Amino acid sequence: MDFDTNNTTPKREAITFSATGSEYFRIWIVNLLLSIVTLGIYSAWAKVRRNRYFYSSTHLAGSSFEYHGNAVAILKGRIAAVVLIGGYNIALRVSPIVGLLMFVLLAAILPWLVWKSLQFKLYNTSYRGIRFGFGGSAKEAYKYFLWLPILNTFTAGLMTPFLHQRLKRFQHTQSRFGSSQFSFDATVGSFYKTYLLFFALLLGGLLVLIFVVFGSVFASFAAHANDATKVGSLLFAIGALYLWMFTVLPLFLTMIQNLIWNHTRLQQHQFQSQLTWGRTTFIMLTNLLGIVVTLGLFSPFAHVRWLKYRLEATSMLVHGSLDEFVAATGQQVSATGEGMADLLDFDLSM
Amino acid sequence: MHADKQEDRATLAARYFDGQTSRLYHVTLSVRDGMAVLAGDIERSCPLGELHVSERSSHAVRKVSFPDGAYLEIADQAAFNDLLHDTGHRDGWVVRLQQSWRGALLATVATVLALWLSYQYLLPVVAKGVAYAIPQSVERQLGQGVLDFLDKHVFEASKLAGARQQALRQQFARLATPGNSTPEHRIVFRKSKIGPNAFALPSGDIVLTDEMVALMPDDEAIMGVLAHELGHLQQRHLTRRLIQTSAVGAGAALLFGDVSTVVATLPPLLLDLKYSRDVEREADDYAITMLRQNGIALEHLAQVFVALGKLDQGTPYLSSHPASAERVERIRAAQR
Ligand SMILES: [Zn+2]
């Protein structure tokens, strides 16, 4: 083990996020306009602008992150994605057989693309001048992004927590900062526990809803078949259902993100994630409300609020100093990283 | 050192990273004779032309990168802006737009306008073009499953006598159609649980419910209903609608996708209602032309909507349609 030799107590370094909704709103609206006017071509540059702003606003121990993605590489990736998805949809319409062939083709290249986009994303992120990176082999990518998910469909989804753990383990152990490797030690059992708790709560709440709310709705149906009350109480029941979903879903999100990051370290430095259910639910519900009420204009503010909360709930327990990382040896990373298709927005659950 | 007052003012604190290790160097930055000069934990200088400066923003850290991957982080935005100004550096126009509230307001107005214009004018044209470009055989496949589904869940076999069905089909087949192409179609009769209804599927099936046949005052009115549905087929309304809603859906998902898919499903639903009213008018116009061409008085078509208008509001046939009174008015106006 490579623990700190001085054996000092770890220093907690919290992530801070200095971006504001109002500044991001201006960046977002200008980017949106330019993307619309250029029929989507500008969206690649917009993505670079947005990421640069967010990365440069994310600070850890006094230094900020940096995004290096190249807009032309992103544009190439987006064109490829449009061609693939469009081709698939057309193929499906032309004949089921051509559609099936196209589906097989997609399934065959998708894991490779996901793997490459993970590499692209991490390689183009740096902190203190040192780039992140992603290793792994194509064989592993196919295992985690294709074979295991296919296998999972035959188990009626019972394997999902196991699959989730394996996927995160793959992502977090293959990631590195310079030449330092990340590690991940959350067990399959802990994933199953989280999923089970979530489903128990979800089902319990649904049962209560069905008995109480729907029961009274049906009762009112039977009592007076007036159109207005019928529609009103049905809407109320559906609203209650949605509200419950929006209350339980954040629970799962917080539990799983805390689980993942509390079991991730970079060498001897341990990550900590302290999201809370109440705050997550509050932010998600108010964001949704804000977006609906403002017809979408609130969405950049919503994005920043959510990102700020998630990032600032994360901290790093630094053992020793953050001064001793070194860049990966040689420049072979850049050769694989540059020009890579950035097809899917895949991130480390952050 | 010959540091004069002016140079002192232009010196500011920065954090330097060499791009090889994560070590933090505290330095000061100043500009002399077109060169950026670093002093402190590390000494280095570089011509201004080889440096890259990150975009201006009020809340993100500003960075200056050297050609070899080393870079500076500068926290004091105001002082750095002054320094940049002295060197003649100028922000790009996108950055200037992003940084001013007036620019953002202008962009907001322009975005809303662009979205509205493309929804109002561009999308219908594109959807029409795409719909007509799709071969009819493909379109048929698109709608194939719909009737099967409806038969399973909504319809029963028609109680109408076979001879009566055949007579109505033949009467409609004898009518001349407007324009030069007649869309392939098939008239099917069904008994429904949802009351009087008539609609056309992309598969070419025109479905007429027994209740609709019973509701019509005379056979010419039924011909009017069929002509209206044939108009939907001729103008490929269902396919166009499918294309439009999926385009709006994709657009909405792009706009709000990050935050919630629930929000993204709302706009297509809302926008669809308005579209269907336009489409109904187009189909009415087709029926008007067709009846006129065959010497059938338009009053028969008007009577269709009078009959439908008397029904309880909330019938699916009426929900997405213009008010019946308005349609009767239009048809009678065409008659004059
Ligand atoms: Zn119609």
Side-chain angles (χ1 to χ4, degrees):
Chain A
M1 290 284 260
D2 194 21
F3 273 94
D4 170 23
T5 40
N6 301 330
N7 208 20
T8 48
T9 46
K11 189 168 164 240
R12 175 188 298 280
E13 294 283 4
I15 290 180
T16 57
F17 188 60
S18 61
T20 63
S22 69
E23 184 164 31
Y24 180 51
F25 173 81
R26 285 171 285 163
I27 296 173
W28 176 81
I29 194 77
V30 171
N31 280 340
L32 185 62
L33 175 65
L34 293 175
S35 297
I36 292 170
V37 170
T38 58
L39 300 175
I41 293 169
Y42 184 80
S43 72
W45 280 264
K47 181 182 176 148
V48 171
R49 279 226 153 77
R50 183 191 64 199
N51 280 351
R52 283 212 184 121
Y53 177 62
F54 283 155
Y55 282 48
S56 293
S57 303
T58 310
H59 314 268
L60 174 67
S63 307
S64 69
F65 289 78
E66 182 61 18
Y67 182 71
H68 305 271
N70 173 282
V72 176
I74 293 172
L75 185 65
K76 278 184 200 157
R78 293 203 162 173
I79 291 171
V82 167
V83 169
L84 277 175
I85 293 165
Y88 174 63
N89 278 304
I90 292 168
L92 211 62
R93 300 270 149 92
V94 171
S95 98
I97 295 164
V98 182
L100 191 74
L101 276 174
M102 196 71 190
F103 180 76
V104 171
L105 183 77
L106 270 183
I109 60 171
L110 218 56
W112 187 82
L113 289 175
V114 172
W115 177 49
K116 286 293 166 194
S117 85
L118 273 172
Q119 290 192 333
F120 182 87
K121 180 165 188 137
L122 279 176
Y123 174 71
N124 284 309
T125 303
S126 73
Y127 172 71
R128 291 191 164 201
I130 300 207
R131 292 204 181 207
F132 288 79
F134 190 77
S137 63
K139 199 176 143 200
E140 282 175 297
Y142 278 94
K143 183 174 163 199
Y144 296 119
F145 300 128
L146 188 66
W147 304 133
L148 286 180
I150 287 176
L151 208 65
N152 188 29
T153 57
F154 290 109
T155 64
L158 284 177
M159 254 175 69
T160 308
F162 167 78
L163 180 68
H164 198 167
Q165 191 268 353
R166 283 292 185 266
L167 218 80
K168 283 296 153 193
R169 196 183 68 174
F170 174 58
Q171 280 186 11
H172 284 209
T173 53
Q174 293 304 327
S175 298
R176 59 170 187 271
F177 175 57
S179 55
S180 311
Q181 210 68 30
F182 282 82
S183 64
F184 183 70
D185 63 359
T187 59
V188 173
S190 60
F191 272 74
Y192 269 98
K193 229 165 79 189
T194 307
Y195 270 83
L196 273 176
L197 189 66
F198 166 66
F199 275 110
L201 261 168
L202 181 70
L203 284 180
L206 283 184
L207 282 178
V208 170
L209 261 179
I210 287 167
F211 280 118
V212 177
V213 182
F214 282 88
S216 64
V217 170
F218 289 131
S220 83
F221 261 55
H224 33 85
N226 184 309
D227 264 9
T229 50
K230 230 195 254 184
V231 172
S233 50
L234 196 68
L235 278 182
F236 174 73
I238 291 170
L241 208 70
Y242 263 103
L243 205 65
W244 179 241
M245 293 298 284
F246 270 106
T247 317
V248 199
L249 219 63
L251 174 71
F252 179 69
L253 231 69
T254 45
M255 283 194 303
I256 211 84
Q257 181 159 327
N258 288 344
L259 172 67
I260 290 166
W261 283 98
N262 287 333
H263 288 90
T264 300
R265 23 167 116 233
L266 174 62
Q267 283 191 329
Q268 73 269 34
H269 312 294
Q270 171 70 51
F271 287 96
Q272 271 199 335
S273 170
Q274 289 163 314
L275 291 178
T276 62
W277 181 10
R279 186 92 191 124
T280 308
T281 310
F282 175 75
I283 290 177
M284 287 182 92
L285 281 176
T286 46
N287 273 354
L288 191 70
L289 200 73
I291 290 169
V292 171
V293 168
T294 61
L295 299 174
L297 285 181
F298 186 70
S299 66
F301 294 87
H303 196 86
V304 168
R305 272 179 89 202
W306 179 222
L307 208 57
K308 189 176 172 70
Y309 178 59
R310 280 194 306 169
L311 285 170
E312 294 192 341
T314 311
S315 52
M316 201 181 193
L317 293 179
V318 177
H319 292 261
S321 156
L322 288 176
D323 275 357
E324 279 124 40
F325 294 100
V326 286
T329 45
Q331 285 309 103
Q332 82 268 33
V333 203
S334 85
T336 39
E338 213 76 68
M340 226 145 248
D342 174 59
L343 279 171
L344 303 152
D345 264 328
F346 226 85
D347 56 12
L348 295 168
S349 97
M350 279 295 284
Chain B
M1 285 278 283
H2 307 281
D4 60 32
K5 279 276 175 288
Q6 202 165 5
E7 273 166 4
D8 277 349
R9 188 180 62 84
T11 297
L12 59 124
R15 301 151 67 88
Y16 176 84
F17 299 97
D18 60 17
Q20 300 303 314
T21 69
S22 60
R23 193 185 149 188
L24 162 66
Y25 301 84
H26 289 283
V27 295
T28 57
L29 165 72
S30 55
V31 174
R32 254 169 261 166
D33 309 324
M35 299 281 279
V37 181
L38 302 186
D41 289 353
I42 203 161
E43 312 236 324
R44 129 168 234 190
S45 64
C46 181
L48 286 179
E50 288 175 21
L51 295 175
H52 178 262
V53 181
S54 72
E55 285 172 1
R56 185 158 66 96
S57 99
S58 21
H59 296 97
V61 167
R62 205 77 190 266
K63 286 165 187 163
V64 178
S65 324
F66 292 80
D68 61 357
Y71 75 99
L72 288 171
E73 277 186 359
I74 295 147
D76 190 346
Q77 298 267 1
F80 186 58
N81 282 337
D82 289 344
L83 184 83
L84 277 178
H85 185 80
D86 291 342
T87 65
H89 178 87
R90 209 166 140 69
D91 294 321
W93 62 274
V94 175
V95 177
R96 269 179 282 145
L97 208 59
Q98 283 171 352
Q99 288 303 318
S100 84
W101 272 109
R102 197 198 287 165
L105 194 71
L106 218 69
T108 311
V109 173
T111 304
V112 172
L113 200 71
L115 284 175
W116 183 78
L117 283 177
S118 41
Y119 170 70
Q120 197 75 13
Y121 298 104
L122 195 66
L123 190 59
V125 175
V126 172
K128 201 169 178 170
V130 173
Y132 284 118
I134 295 175
Q136 216 159 42
S137 60
V138 175
E139 203 184 353
R140 289 286 129 96
Q141 260 172 356
L142 223 91
Q144 205 82 80
V146 182
L147 189 61
D148 294 339
F149 176 84
L150 289 174
D151 275 342
K152 254 183 221 138
H153 299 279
V154 188
F155 293 145
E156 291 164 30
S158 172
K159 297 277 190 299
L160 225 56
R164 170 91 173 116
Q165 291 186 17
Q166 215 36 49
L168 284 171
R169 283 197 190 100
Q170 275 161 8
Q171 191 182 345
F172 189 63
R174 277 197 297 273
L175 301 182
T177 52
N180 36 24
S181 73
T182 310
E184 259 179 72
H185 62 276
R186 193 169 64 123
I187 298 165
V188 294
F189 294 88
R190 292 286 189 276
K191 180 165 170 43
S192 86
K193 295 170 191 163
I194 50 171
N197 216 323
F199 53 88
L201 297 173
S203 53
D205 293 309
I206 296 175
V207 181
L208 206 56
T209 65
D210 293 359
E211 293 79 3
M212 190 73 176
V213 176
L215 183 74
M216 292 299 106
D218 51 41
D219 286 3
E220 278 77 16
I222 297 176
M223 292 304 113
V225 171
L226 291 174
H228 171 95
E229 297 309 330
L230 194 68
H232 281 316
L233 282 183
Q234 160 76 32
Q235 284 144 21
R236 308 212 175 181
H237 284 151
L238 231 85
T239 312
R240 274 157 64 181
R241 187 165 170 179
L242 221 69
I243 294 166
Q244 289 205 21
T245 36
S246 39
V248 172
L254 272 178
L255 283 181
F256 321 117
D258 281 0
V259 184
S260 168
T261 39
V262 182
V263 181
T265 53
L266 285 174
L269 273 177
L270 293 175
L271 296 176
D272 196 40
L273 289 177
K274 185 232 161 238
Y275 172 71
S276 67
R277 282 195 296 275
D278 292 350
V279 152
E280 288 315 316
R281 276 182 209 111
E282 272 183 51
D284 283 349
D285 289 343
Y286 185 91
I288 288 169
T289 317
M290 186 164 169
L291 293 190
R292 221 185 235 153
Q293 215 170 314
N294 292 282
I296 300 173
L298 292 186
E299 188 53 30
H300 292 288
L301 186 63
Q303 285 306 317
V304 172
F305 299 110
V306 171
L308 283 169
K310 279 182 197 145
L311 290 177
D312 180 22
Q313 289 291 315
T315 308
Y317 190 84
L318 296 170
S319 60
S320 61
H321 287 52
S324 294
E326 186 193 324
R327 300 174 77 172
V328 172
E329 195 51 48
R330 268 189 88 234
I331 294 160
R332 286 187 176 147
Q335 202 168 10
R336 272 173 233 133

